[in-house]
Amino acid sequence: MTLSERTAYLKGLMEGMKLDTTTNEGKLFQAIVDTLDDMALTVSDLEDVVDAVCDELDSIEEDLDTIEEYLLDDEDYDDEDEDEDDEDEEYDFGDDETIYEVKCPTCGSVINLDEEMLDAGSIECPDCGEELEFDVEEDD
């Protein structure tokens, strides 16, 4: 039985007992029942708000789970080597294509290269226009 139903039951009892609401005791009982009715309506409204907030939080949690799965699937590389300035970094994204990260010595911008770009031997830095040349030696 909900609070609203219980309050309605108390109102019915009071009417069934035919309490005189003009006496002090009758006025007191009427005020108590009215207060309980107002409290029951307020609690009901709060329950509706809590339900709506919970639904929204569930939706946000699902979105965050999707984002987390996406980020974890794409992060197959190790972040420990990010502090090295002059070293080229190699990332493997699992699709048989290796991406190399190169730092431009002139402007310091980071450029991602694939095998085809390395085979070309040189590229122009997209930020400063500096010609970057690559000497790639393959190990057997």
Side-chain angles (χ1 to χ4, degrees), residues 61-94:
E61 182 180 19
E62 289 173 8
D63 292 345
L64 285 175
D65 287 342
T66 303
I67 292 169
E68 181 181 29
E69 287 175 17
Y70 174 77
L71 290 176
L72 289 178
D73 287 345
D74 283 351
E75 259 184 35
D76 292 338
Y77 58 89
D78 190 6
D79 291 335
E80 293 175 6
D81 296 331
E82 284 187 20
D83 296 333
E84 298 176 18
D85 292 335
D86 298 328
E87 295 284 330
D88 293 346
E89 295 184 22
E90 180 179 332
Y91 298 117
D92 183 9
F93 293 154

Side-chain angles (χ1 to χ4, degrees), residues 90-140:
E90 180 179 332
Y91 298 117
D92 183 9
F93 293 154
D95 57 357
D96 295 337
E97 181 178 351
T98 302
I99 304 295
Y100 298 92
E101 186 175 274
V102 178
K103 191 172 191 179
C104 177
T106 305
C107 68
S109 67
V110 177
I111 305 163
N112 293 321
L113 308 171
D114 60 10
E115 292 285 339
E116 186 177 309
M117 296 169 85
L118 282 178
D119 290 341
S122 67
I123 65 162
E124 188 175 294
C125 176
D127 292 331
C128 69
E130 178 75 21
E131 184 74 20
L132 304 175
E133 295 183 7
F134 308 107
D135 184 20
V136 181
E137 295 178 15
E138 292 188 25
D139 294 332
D140 289 330

Side-chain angles (χ1 to χ4, degrees), residues 35-68:
T35 301
L36 288 173
D37 190 38
D38 290 343
M39 289 173 59
L41 290 174
T42 301
V43 169
S44 177
D45 290 344
L46 289 173
E47 286 174 341
D48 292 342
V49 169
V50 167
D51 288 342
V53 168
C54 286
D55 290 343
E56 189 65 30
L57 283 175
D58 288 342
S59 175
I60 290 170
E61 182 180 19
E62 289 173 8
D63 292 345
L64 285 175
D65 287 342
T66 303
I67 292 169
E68 181 181 29

Side-chain angles (χ1 to χ4, degrees), residues 8-47:
Y9 174 74
L10 289 175
K11 277 185 181 180
L13 276 177
M14 196 172 97
E15 289 172 8
M17 294 174 68
K18 298 182 182 173
L19 291 175
D20 185 11
T21 55
T22 59
T23 65
N24 289 337
E25 293 83 10
K27 290 178 185 179
L28 175 67
F29 284 128
Q30 182 66 46
I32 289 172
V33 170
D34 289 343
T35 301
L36 288 173
D37 190 38
D38 290 343
M39 289 173 59
L41 290 174
T42 301
V43 169
S44 177
D45 290 344
L46 289 173
E47 286 174 341

